Amino acid sequence: AKAASCNAAKAKKAAGLPVAAEKAKRKTASDEPREPGGASGHPSVDAPISMARLYTNTFKLLCAWLSDARSRWLARSMVAGLTFWWLTREYCWAFMGSAYHAEATNQVTTLTQHKSVAKVWQAILAALVYDLCIGLETFAILHNIVSYFPRMHLRDFLTRKVLNAYLMGNHHAYYHIKLNESENGIDNPDQRIVEDVDHMCVMIVHLWGSVLSTV
C-alpha cells in the first residue's frame, strides 16, 4: 500500500509537470511585447484613429498660427506666397518640362521613320536649355528658398507655444519631469521639443505641397 501511494504521488507529479510547463509558456508569451499590427501583421484598428487625430491636431496648429495676433498677416502672406509658388512650379513642369522631355523622347524613338537627325538634336537641345535655365532654378534653388521662410516662421511660432506650455502650463510638466527624472528617463526635454517641432514644420510644408501638387 505504501509503494502504491508513492507510485500514485509520482504519477501525479509527473502529470503536473507538463501542465506547469504549459502555464509558464503561456505566461511568458503573454508577457512578450506585441507588434502594433498583431500576430497576423495586419494594421491595428487604432491606426486610422491615430492618423485622423494627427491631421486634426495639425489643422488646429495651422489655424492657431494663421490667427495669432502677433504674426497672422505675415503667416497668411507666406502661405499665399507658398501656394502661388507651388502652383507656378507645377505649371512649369506640367506644361513646359514634361512637354520638352516628351518631344525629345518622341523624336529619338521615331528617328527610324523620319530620318531627321537635326530634329532629334533640336528636341534634345530644347530640353537641355529648359533644364538649365528654368528647371534647375525652379526645382533646385528657388524651391528651397521659398519654402524655407514659411517653415522657419511656423517653427518659431510653434516653439514659443510649446515651450510656454511646457514651462508655464497648468499641469506644470517641467516640474513633474524634473522631479521624476531618475524614473522616467527623459533627458533634455527642451532639445527634444525643438527637434520635434522642426520635424513637424517640415512635414506640414511637404504635406501642403503634396495637396497642391495633387490639385
Side-chain angles (χ1 to χ4, degrees), residues 29-30 34 91 173 188 192 199 203-204:
S30 62
R34 297 184 179 181
Y91 175 84
N188 299 325
R192 294 174 183 266
H199 295 327
M203 185 200 72
I204 290 175

Side-chain angles (χ1 to χ4, degrees), residues 24-214:
K25 185 177 180 181
R26 290 178 181 178
K27 184 178 180 181
T28 304
S30 62
D31 292 340
E32 292 179 354
R34 297 184 179 181
E35 297 284 338
S40 60
H42 295 292
S44 175
V45 180
D46 297 335
I49 301 176
S50 300
M51 292 300 297
R53 187 180 296 113
L54 173 63
Y55 287 120
T56 302
N57 294 334
T58 303
F59 180 75
K60 291 180 180 179
L61 289 176
L62 287 177
C63 290
W65 178 47
L66 296 174
S67 60
D68 184 55
R70 295 177 54 184
S71 58
R72 58 185 176 184
W73 294 113
L74 182 59
R76 293 173 185 178
S77 62
M78 285 184 176
V79 171
L82 185 63
T83 303
F84 176 77
W85 166 250
W86 268 99
L87 295 178
T88 304
R89 177 178 179 269
E90 293 302 316
Y91 175 84
C92 290
W93 171 249
F95 295 98
M96 297 176 64
S98 60
Y100 285 122
H101 286 84
E103 179 65 19
T105 305
N106 185 39
Q107 292 297 333
V108 171
T109 54
T110 59
L111 177 61
T112 57
Q113 300 177 6
H114 57 73
K115 306 293 184 179
S116 177
V117 180
K119 289 184 178 180
V120 175
W121 283 111
Q122 183 179 0
I124 294 175
L125 182 61
L128 180 62
V129 169
Y130 167 81
D131 288 338
L132 293 178
C133 298
I134 299 178
L136 180 63
E137 289 80 1
T138 301
F139 296 98
I141 301 176
L142 291 177
H143 173 70
N144 295 330
I145 296 175
V146 173
S147 60
Y148 172 81
F149 293 101
R151 189 172 71 246
M152 291 298 103
H153 192 270
L154 178 60
R155 189 182 74 172
D156 178 68
F157 170 78
L158 292 181
T159 302
R160 286 189 287 105
K161 287 290 184 181
V162 174
L163 287 179
N164 184 48
Y166 167 64
L167 296 174
M168 295 178 289
N170 295 328
H171 298 288
H172 305 288
Y174 172 79
Y175 301 101
H176 287 292
I177 292 177
K178 282 298 181 181
L179 290 175
N180 301 319
E181 190 172 9
S182 60
E183 299 177 0
N184 52 40
I186 300 176
D187 57 335
N188 299 325
D190 48 351
Q191 181 179 355
R192 294 174 183 266
I193 289 174
V194 173
E195 293 176 355
D196 291 342
V197 166
D198 184 63
H199 295 327
M200 186 72 178
C201 295
V202 172
M203 185 200 72
I204 290 175
V205 173
H206 287 173
L207 180 63
W208 181 239
S210 301
V211 171
L212 294 177
S213 300
T214 305

